[in-house]
Amino acid sequence: MRFIPYGHQSIDDEDIQSVIEVLKGDWLTTGPTVDRFEQELAKYVDARHAVAVNSGTSALDIAVQALALPKGSEIITTPFTFAATGNAILYNGHNPIFADIDPATRNIDPDQIRRRITSRTRAIIYVDYAGHPCAIDEIGDIAQEYDLRLIEDACHALGASYDGRKIGTFADMTIFSFHPVKPITTGEGGAVVTENAELAAKLRMLRSHGITRDIGHMFGEGASWGYDMQYLGRNYRMTDIQAALGLSQLRKISSFIQRRNEIAALYTRVLSDLEWLELPSTLEHVTHGWHLYTVLLKGVDRNALFSYLKERGIGANVHYIPTYKFSYYQKHYPQDVTSFPGVEDVFNRILTLPLYPDMTDEDVWYISENLHEVASDLRIPV
Ligand SMILES: *Cc1c(COP(=O)(O)O)cnc(C)c1O
């Protein structure tokens, strides 16, 4: 039986050829192809600088590091995201402060951000859940009012836009991921995009051991062998092999996003008669990236439905287990779950249906048929 996963990469011959070309050349690790990928990525989101790294997680990590906040600073973020968002705060010795979400978009609620601000708050990391941009204007106002830095975790949202402007230039730094299920892929990979030249230069050092070749007269005139290590950086470099795939993928991003929007619209059309499903909605001033199509169940046992779909080759999923529920966070950052009624309600009822550009309309109809049959099979009262 064919299995329809919740997400999947789209790779064509042009992608394969692009990678082969690099393999035949001299540069395997960070070289001219990474430069070109960064330029094209920056151009696509209309930003000044893009710094490519080996994962979205690495991008988040060095973005937080680049802010150089005092240790123990509080950074407000959403718990309804992949674990990496909160972890980037912990890697850097800061305190993640979780704020509740707006159940309609599953995005961090600006009013809840306001309630969490203290004298130690220094930054906000907001996540454009499923590719639906956050309440960016409201979050921007809060940042101005309290002098907070902004990092946009746009790992779902490459190609999405807000007020007609591509996601990428709203926050101090914007993070993208190129994991296979994300809007474009490099196998593994990520990037930080910024308008700020100083931050970009620092990010370039941080991704490669904190090392620079810009050393002035440190070792005397003409010491072109010299380099200096100015920050405690890592090896987070993207390879030219990955960047070659990224360049080729980036050429297709518009058609990927368009296809994702078509599939989402088809789901919404064919599922709208099911009263036990709450379908996702899109606010007016945004273009949705549709990384995920998530529904909320009303009076249906999620585990039973999940197994039912799996038996029929449909790979539903749950995005996300709230970060504060993980053992590590419970041990080190225990939270009172009653502070997150939005997250708790959504988490208990949410299910991700398959969505990726190579899915066919027939796949959507097949999933719809099964969801229509499940009502009688699982004896859902309708
Ligand atoms: C995928 C993802 C990440 C991490 O990206 P990787 O490239 O897998 O390291 C971070 N945040 C969010 C919201 C993600 O979906």
Side-chain angles (χ1 to χ4, degrees):
M1 185 181 56
R2 197 169 143 252
F3 190 78
I4 309 173
Y6 87 87
H8 196 268
Q9 68 273 20
S10 301
I11 300 289
D12 64 12
D13 289 343
E14 189 187 77
D15 293 316
I16 294 166
Q17 207 48 48
S18 180
V19 173
I20 289 172
E21 288 310 314
V22 165
L23 288 171
K24 288 177 178 167
D26 288 325
W27 286 94
L28 294 186
T29 187
T30 321
T33 314
V34 169
D35 287 345
R36 270 172 56 217
F37 177 56
E38 291 178 339
Q39 283 157 19
E40 291 301 318
L41 179 66
K43 198 161 107 192
Y44 176 68
V45 299
D46 206 13
R48 289 211 169 85
H49 311 279
V51 179
V53 292
N54 60 357
S55 73
T57 304
S58 302
L60 276 166
D61 184 17
I62 59 171
V64 175
Q65 193 183 354
L67 292 177
L69 303 174
K71 287 284 172 239
S73 292
E74 293 180 356
I75 300 182
I76 298 175
T77 193
T78 172
F80 206 61
T81 178
F82 184 54
T85 313
N87 293 352
I89 298 170
L90 298 185
Y91 297 152
N92 288 282
H94 302 309
N95 288 322
I97 304 296
F98 295 116
D100 203 6
I101 58 168
D102 168 2
T105 58
R106 346 284 197 218
N107 280 333
I108 195 165
D109 177 346
D111 292 332
Q112 296 296 323
I113 294 177
R114 283 186 184 276
R115 291 159 141 246
R116 307 276 159 188
I117 291 173
T118 72
S119 58
R120 292 175 301 278
T121 310
R122 293 288 176 273
I124 301 168
I125 304 181
Y126 58 97
V127 177
D128 302 312
Y129 178 91
H132 190 299
C134 283
I136 291 176
D137 286 338
E138 286 86 340
I139 294 171
D141 288 346
I142 296 171
Q144 277 226 307
E145 195 177 326
Y146 294 94
D147 191 25
L148 307 176
R149 305 283 80 76
L150 290 178
I151 296 175
E152 182 161 356
D153 180 342
C155 287
H156 301 181
L158 180 64
S161 47
Y162 181 86
D163 278 344
R165 204 170 118 202
K166 286 255 157 55
I167 295 299
T169 51
F170 292 99
D172 294 294
M173 288 173 276
T174 302
I175 310 303
F176 296 114
S177 164
F178 311 123
H179 178 278
V181 297
K182 300 292 164 74
I184 63 166
T185 189
T186 60
E188 294 276 2
V192 188
V193 165
T194 181
E195 294 296 276
N196 183 315
E198 257 174 71
L199 279 175
K202 191 169 180 182
L203 291 163
R204 276 180 210 293
M205 279 196 252
L206 291 175
R207 79 168 165 194
S208 190
H209 311 282
I211 282 174
T212 177
R213 292 203 169 264
D214 188 9
I215 55 165
H217 293 295
M218 201 173 168
F219 304 105
E221 200 73 51
S224 58
W225 44 265
Y227 57 87
D228 186 23
M229 193 194 104
Q230 297 182 348
Y231 303 104
L232 186 59
R234 324 254 174 174
N235 178 356
Y236 282 168
R237 293 187 302 262
M238 176 180 274
T239 65
D240 265 25
I241 306 168
Q242 292 167 306
L245 181 53
L247 267 172
S248 172
Q249 288 266 300
L250 203 48
R251 277 182 226 123
K252 292 174 280 233
I253 177 92
S254 300
S255 63
F256 289 164
I257 298 296
Q258 194 193 329
R259 182 63 190 147
R260 285 180 179 277
N261 273 269
E262 281 169 17
I263 295 166
L266 182 56
Y267 265 133
T268 297
R269 206 169 74 230
V270 297
L271 300 179
S272 59
D273 61 320
L274 291 175
E275 279 164 24
W276 53 275
L277 274 191
E278 263 175 60
L279 303 183
S281 53
T282 309
L283 296 180
E284 286 216 332
H285 54 289
V286 310
T287 303
H288 204 316
W290 288 114
H291 166 56
L292 302 172
Y293 190 91
T294 63
V295 296
L296 298 184
L297 311 179
K298 285 187 280 190
V300 177
D301 182 71
R302 178 170 57 193
N303 294 348
L305 178 60
F306 186 94
S307 307
Y308 181 95
L309 294 173
K310 196 170 170 195
E311 281 162 21
R312 286 155 184 80
I314 298 165
N317 216 312
V318 174
H319 295 95
Y320 286 96
I321 299 164
T323 308
Y324 56 70
K325 289 199 186 287
F326 293 123
S327 304
Y328 184 89
Y329 279 84
Q330 292 222 2
K331 190 165 161 198
H332 299 283
Y333 298 88
Q335 303 286 319
D336 175 3
V337 299
T338 62
S339 311
F340 309 103
V343 172
E344 288 293 309
D345 178 52
V346 169
F347 168 61
N348 286 326
R349 302 196 293 124
I350 203 163
L351 196 69
T352 303
L353 299 180
L355 199 174
Y356 51 93
D358 284 353
M359 254 177 92
T360 63
D361 288 4
E362 286 74 17
D363 291 335
V364 177
W365 293 332
Y366 173 75
I367 293 164
S368 168
E369 267 166 38
N370 279 281
L371 286 169
H372 280 82
E373 280 162 18
V374 75
S376 52
D377 287 1
L378 291 182
R379 294 204 192 84
I380 295 165
V382 282

